[in-house]
Amino acid sequence: MNSIISSTKFDGSLHYQFESELVSAEGNEIRFYTPPHTKMTTYRGELTTTSHSLRIFYTDLHWNVFVRWHADWRFENYYVNIAQPATWDGHVLRWVDLDLDIIQHANQTVPILDDEDEFERHRVKWDYPQPVVDRAWQSVKEVWALLENRTSPFDTAAQQWRPTK
């Protein structure tokens, strides 16, 4: 049975929502597999995914990561969302996106920090509390260090993952 992944912005507005296959839910970590051609409802309208994606969420960390591969399973990138910790009820995973993203492409040695301008606009527009802002920037530092050190989930084991069916 597929689960629902539902993401909002800080003000509660839709970011995106779609079905995904639960891979595992152990401790603070919940993993989903999303194949290419998955339909998504987003703030931009309906979209269809083009990549394979292992989506790893945490109930106690302020970020999540999408390990993505091209349709032919060549590694594409790690796409990290700085976010509020996820909540999971056994069917729907919910999380709040805070706009800051870290992207580590397969052909790049240094990650990219993306959407700082969007984070700043939304911080002001939606009046992010200072602890949320501080935690977001702390999470950027933590993820950056994990990427530099190739620490799980940013290691070859994650890149070699494949669905079992």
Side-chain angles (χ1 to χ4, degrees), residues 57-162:
F57 297 92
Y58 302 94
T59 59
D60 62 345
L61 299 177
H62 292 256
W63 56 274
N64 57 65
V65 59
F66 303 166
V67 184
R68 299 193 313 189
W69 299 267
H70 297 281
D72 64 2
W73 285 102
R74 284 178 298 116
F75 177 66
E76 185 176 347
N77 62 36
Y78 296 111
Y79 193 100
V80 180
N81 299 286
I82 302 302
Q84 297 288 296
T87 61
W88 170 240
D89 69 8
H91 179 64
V92 179
L93 182 121
R94 292 179 174 84
W95 63 283
V96 176
D97 182 86
L98 295 176
D99 305 309
L100 289 171
D101 303 306
I102 303 170
I103 307 164
Q104 175 73 61
H105 291 287
N107 61 351
Q108 293 177 321
T109 56
V110 178
I112 299 166
L113 179 60
D114 195 27
D115 291 335
E116 290 174 90
D117 56 339
E118 191 176 351
F119 175 80
E120 184 58 26
R121 276 195 318 275
H122 289 163
R123 181 191 68 76
V124 172
K125 180 179 179 179
W126 295 323
D127 195 25
Y128 290 1
Q130 193 59 46
V132 169
V133 174
D134 294 344
R135 188 65 190 122
W137 287 113
Q138 181 60 37
S139 293
V140 167
K141 290 177 190 174
E142 291 169 7
V143 169
W144 205 274
L146 292 170
L147 280 163
E148 284 182 340
N149 294 316
R150 301 284 183 239
T151 304
S152 181
F154 308 106
D155 56 9
T156 56
Q159 291 180 26
Q160 294 170 357
W161 179 89
R162 298 294 184 270

Side-chain angles (χ1 to χ4, degrees), residues 8-59:
T8 64
K9 294 295 189 175
F10 193 78
D11 72 338
S13 62
L14 176 70
H15 185 219
Y16 58 77
Q17 184 170 305
F18 57 96
E19 289 189 4
S20 193
E21 178 185 328
L22 177 65
V23 172
S24 64
E26 299 175 12
N28 71 331
E29 182 181 283
I30 305 106
R31 292 179 173 222
F32 297 89
Y33 169 60
T34 308
H37 313 295
T38 299
K39 304 266 187 240
M40 303 174 78
T41 302
T42 81
Y43 66 99
R44 295 179 179 150
E46 295 293 320
L47 298 177
T48 302
T49 62
T50 59
S51 302
H52 296 276
S53 182
L54 176 64
R55 297 169 188 262
I56 307 170
F57 297 92
Y58 302 94
T59 59

